[in-house]
Amino acid sequence: MNGRLRDEYDVDDLNERLSGTAFAGHLHYLPSIDSTNRLAMQEAAEGAPAGSVYVAGQQTMGRGRGRHIWHSAPGEGLYASVLLRPHLAPADSLWFSLAAGLAVRQAVLNVTSLAADIRWPNDLLLGRRKFCGILAELNAEVTRVRHLVIGIGINVHQEHFPEDVAPTATSLRLETGRAWPRQDLLLALLQSLHREATGLGQDPSIAAADLLHRLEQASTWIRGKRVQVGEEEGYTGTTAGLDECGFLLVESAGRLRTVLSGSVREAEAKIPETGAGQ
Ligand code: BTN
């Protein structure tokens, strides 16, 4: 098969089917771009409206979390960045990033029936392998978010991965033996994201409690998982829920530590961990 050759986006159809959401009429397709997150941050700074979505056929310099890159070969994955202008304090912005993980999970479940695990903050895994990464980037004053860009990369059609990520990456195709249309995935994703953003926009504290509940149901990583936090100077411990801002708590050597940054990996993982972003 070469399903990916026919797997193009129909932007007009998406714009129409997203009617009633902030994304309708704001979808932009770029056949090739360095990074949709880079573009979205730039467009945001230049006044692009909330709800703008930038979708690429390929990225030549896809950004991952930390200093990782996101391999973004032509036609293989879904590469999209969504621009939001939420009315919230920067301290609450992690909830949007967590909600994006739940939105992708729901979209993938709706389209493929696969129930992904969520590794805090928002990596999506099938088994022990990652098929989706989310990079949320923020432009803020101390008390006010100017704009938030949520960049989502989903491995859809990949049958092979570059060496650095091959031991830990997977795709929807590899997991199911089927080609899933990126159009359907993107539509489902933006519909889910619309629901999550609407909830957070109404009453962030109620939405956060609801998110926490749903995350605990959807993720094996929030509580009771033995993890390695960070790399060389890191530590191991057992996950113990999220704090009031959505940061992961880890019980380690008799004390509760908050994971503010750094990667979280399963301790004593059975497949080699590379630390790479995909
Ligand atoms: C991660 O390291 O897990 C985050 C990966 C995020 C990749 C997506 S692909 C679309 C958007 N544009 C980018 O440059 N990065 C994000």
Side-chain angles (χ1 to χ4, degrees), residues 172-183:
L172 297 178
R173 175 167 186 90
L174 285 172
E175 293 298 320
T176 61
R178 276 196 52 178
W180 299 97
R182 290 178 301 172
Q183 176 88 354

Side-chain angles (χ1 to χ4, degrees), residues 35-37 59 62-65 70 80-81 130 133-134 151-153 277:
S35 155
T36 55
N37 262 41
Q59 297 183 115
R63 295 182 189 168
R65 283 208 308 276
W70 187 260
S81 297
K130 175 167 165 178
I134 298 175
I152 297 163

Side-chain angles (χ1 to χ4, degrees), residues 62-230:
R63 295 182 189 168
R65 283 208 308 276
R67 308 176 101 188
H68 298 140
I69 58 156
W70 187 260
H71 297 288
S72 309
E76 299 277 354
L78 186 158
Y79 318 117
S81 297
V82 175
L83 163 58
L84 300 172
R85 296 186 187 278
H87 298 286
L88 83 167
D92 292 326
S93 57
L94 178 54
W95 289 113
F96 269 83
S97 184
L98 298 171
L102 280 169
V104 176
R105 183 181 187 277
Q106 189 60 50
V108 169
L109 184 63
N110 291 350
V111 174
T112 70
S113 301
L114 291 171
D117 198 0
I118 301 180
R119 179 173 59 197
W120 187 91
N122 49 23
D123 287 341
L124 275 94
L125 311 181
L126 289 165
R128 286 199 163 128
R129 292 174 184 263
K130 175 167 165 178
F131 75 97
C132 170
I134 298 175
L135 175 64
E137 297 192 67
L138 190 63
N139 181 314
E141 295 167 21
V142 172
T143 54
R144 183 179 79 91
V145 169
R146 291 196 191 100
H147 51 261
L148 174 65
V149 165
I150 298 183
I152 297 163
I154 303 180
N155 299 334
V156 181
H157 296 305
Q158 286 90 339
E159 288 174 295
H160 307 282
F161 288 93
E163 208 181 327
D164 58 334
V165 297
T168 54
T170 192
S171 67
L172 297 178
R173 175 167 186 90
L174 285 172
E175 293 298 320
T176 61
R178 276 196 52 178
W180 299 97
R182 290 178 301 172
Q183 176 88 354
D184 295 355
L185 289 164
L186 183 57
L187 177 64
L189 166 59
L190 292 173
Q191 287 169 332
S192 296
L193 211 47
H194 167 73
R195 283 192 292 274
E196 296 292 351
T198 306
L200 278 163
Q202 277 162 2
D203 186 329
S205 61
I206 293 176
D210 173 56
L211 274 174
L212 181 55
H213 175 69
R214 286 185 293 134
L215 271 170
E216 293 209 4
Q217 309 234 301
S219 168
T220 65
W221 290 75
I222 304 292
R223 271 182 201 279
K225 173 85 88 189
R226 287 286 302 164
V227 291
Q228 164 80 31
V229 181

Side-chain angles (χ1 to χ4, degrees), residues 36-59:
T36 55
N37 262 41
R38 202 260 326 131
L39 175 67
M41 289 296 281
Q42 179 185 318
E43 295 283 306
E46 291 170 5
S52 297
V53 181
Y54 304 89
V55 186
Q58 72 167 320
Q59 297 183 115

